[in-house]
Amino acid sequence: MMTIRLWHRPLVLLAAAMAALALASAVGLAVDDRILVGEPIWLKPFKFSLSIAIYSVTLAWMLSLGRTAPRWVWWLGTTIAAANVIEMVVVVGQVLRGRQSHFNVATPLDAGLWFAMAASIVTLWLANLGIAARLFRERTGDRAATWSVRLGLLLALVGMALGFLMTSPTPAQLGATRSGAAVGIVGAHSVGVADDSPGIAITGWSSTGGDLRIPHFVGMHALQAIPLFAWLLITLSRRFPRLADERTRLRLVLVATGTYAGVLAILTWQALRGQSLVHPDGATLTAVALLAVGMVASVVAVARHHHVPPAPHSSAGMTGRPVKPRCTRVAAD
C-alpha cells in the first residue's frame, strides 16, 4: 500500500521546511512594516514558501507513482529540492538585508546572489524536464490518470519557462545602459509599468499594467490542477455512471488540459501587452469567450460519444492499487 513514507523524502522534508518558513514569513508580515519594491518585504518569502511547499508535496507524490524507480530519478528529485533551498536562502537572506533578490545586480554581492538563484532555477527546470521525460514513458494508472500527471507536469514546465521572460532588460533599462548610466536592476516582472506600481491585494500582481508573474504562477500550478481534475472525475463517477468509462474521463482530462493551456496563453498574451489582469480589453474578453465556447462544445461532444463500459468501475490509486480515502485516487489499469 502506498503511504507518504514511500514518497521522495528530500522533497517531503523540503515541503515541511517551506511550511515552517511560510509561518515565519506570516509573522514577519505582521511585525515588520518595511516595504520593498512596492509591497511588504516578507510577502515574497511567504508566497514563495507556500508555493514551493505545495509543489514539493505534489512532485514527491508523482515520483512514487511509477512501478519502477530508477536511482537517477531519485537524484533528479533531490536536485530539485536542493535548487529550491538555494533559491529560498537567497530570497530570505536578501529580505534580512533589506535588499531586492530578483534582478538585482547593484553590487557584486547582489549580483552574485542573483546569478546563484538564476542558476538554481535553470537547474530546477532541467531536472523537472528529466522527470517529465520519465513519466511520459511510464504508466501511472488508467489512461486518464496517467495523462493527467503527464500533461500537468508539461504545463508546469511551460509555466516555469515563462519566468525566464522576466530576466530580459526593460526598454528603460536598455536605454540607461546605452547612455552609460549605472543599472542596478536588470529585468522585471511588470510590463509597461514599474515593478513598484500598485498591485492587487494579497498577490501583489500589478493592477495598472501587465505582470508576467500571473501566467508563471498559473502554469506552474497545473502540476496540481490537472491531476486534481482527474481525481474529481473518479470521485464523481460514483454518482454519475457515465464517468465510470475510462475513455470518457480521458477525453475530459484532455479538454480540461486544452482549456487550461488556453487560459495560460491568454494570460501570457495579456501580460506581454502590458495589460492588467483586472482591466481586460475587448480582445482579451473575446479570446476568453471563444475559449469558453470551445470548452463547452468539447464537453458536449464527449458526452455524445459516451458508451457503456463492459464492467462496473472500481476505485484504485494512481498506481492501480487501492488506497486509503485520504490519498489521491483514480481508476485502476
Side-chain angles (χ1 to χ4, degrees):
M1 181 176 293
M2 184 62 62
T3 70
I4 196 170
R5 292 191 300 273
L6 301 180
W7 292 9
H8 190 278
R9 183 165 296 179
L11 286 171
V12 172
L13 292 175
L14 174 65
M18 290 300 102
L21 180 57
L23 290 175
S25 299
V27 173
L29 286 169
V31 303
D32 191 341
D33 59 1
R34 288 180 296 166
I35 300 296
L36 182 65
V37 197
E39 63 184 29
I41 198 168
W42 284 98
L43 183 59
K44 178 174 288 186
F46 177 76
K47 293 189 297 185
F48 274 48
S49 57
L50 197 59
S51 179
I52 291 173
I54 297 170
Y55 159 82
S56 301
V57 168
T58 306
L59 194 61
W61 164 71
M62 285 183 173
L63 291 179
S64 73
L65 296 178
R67 292 181 174 85
T68 59
R71 193 65 179 170
W72 62 267
V73 173
W74 186 91
W75 278 109
L76 286 179
T78 303
T79 299
I80 288 171
N84 276 294
V85 168
I86 292 172
E87 181 178 11
M88 290 308 298
V89 166
V90 174
V91 169
V92 174
Q94 289 292 71
V95 164
L96 294 175
R97 296 178 65 228
R99 304 284 291 178
Q100 182 175 341
S101 55
H102 287 67
F103 321 125
N104 190 353
V105 294
T107 69
L109 177 57
D110 290 326
L113 291 172
W114 166 233
F115 292 146
M117 183 190 298
S120 72
I121 293 170
V122 172
T123 300
L124 183 147
W125 190 88
L126 291 173
N128 273 275
L129 180 63
I131 290 173
R134 175 64 188 179
L135 289 177
F136 264 83
R137 297 176 56 190
E138 177 128 11
R139 186 163 177 165
T140 55
D142 71 1
R143 287 185 298 167
T146 297
W147 279 101
S148 73
V149 170
R150 291 171 177 172
L151 296 174
L153 187 51
L154 185 62
L155 284 178
L157 281 166
V158 173
M160 292 177 195
L162 290 174
F164 298 137
L165 296 176
M166 304 181 203
T167 62
S168 299
T170 65
Q173 292 164 356
L174 286 173
T177 300
R178 294 191 186 104
S179 67
V183 178
I185 302 295
V186 178
H189 53 70
S190 297
V191 179
V193 295
D195 275 355
D196 59 356
S197 61
I200 301 170
I202 301 177
T203 64
W205 297 334
S206 178
S207 59
T208 58
D211 200 319
L212 289 166
R213 291 177 296 181
I214 300 173
H216 181 54
F217 172 86
V218 171
M220 287 194 305
H221 288 288
L223 191 72
Q224 294 85 34
I226 305 303
L228 186 61
F229 179 72
W231 171 83
L232 180 62
L233 291 178
I234 205 65
T235 300
L236 291 176
S237 69
R238 300 165 186 165
R239 296 188 59 184
F240 302 97
R242 287 192 172 196
L243 294 178
D245 177 20
E246 176 185 323
R247 281 176 288 185
T248 297
R249 293 196 308 278
L250 173 60
R251 289 165 183 159
L252 289 174
V253 165
L254 295 177
V255 171
T257 302
T259 303
Y260 201 100
V263 170
L264 180 59
I266 291 172
L267 290 173
T268 305
W269 175 55
Q270 186 181 26
L272 290 173
R273 289 187 295 134
Q275 183 181 113
S276 171
L277 175 69
V278 294
H279 298 294
D281 62 9
T284 300
L285 293 175
T286 299
V288 171
L290 290 173
L291 180 63
V293 169
M295 178 191 69
V296 172
S298 298
V299 171
V300 170
V302 170
R304 287 181 175 177
H305 283 85
H306 167 73
H307 73 283
V308 178
H313 168 69
S314 61
S315 298
M318 280 284 194
T319 58
R321 297 186 294 272
V323 296
K324 294 181 179 180
R326 62 183 175 87
C327 298
T328 302
R329 296 192 292 177
V330 295
D333 275 338

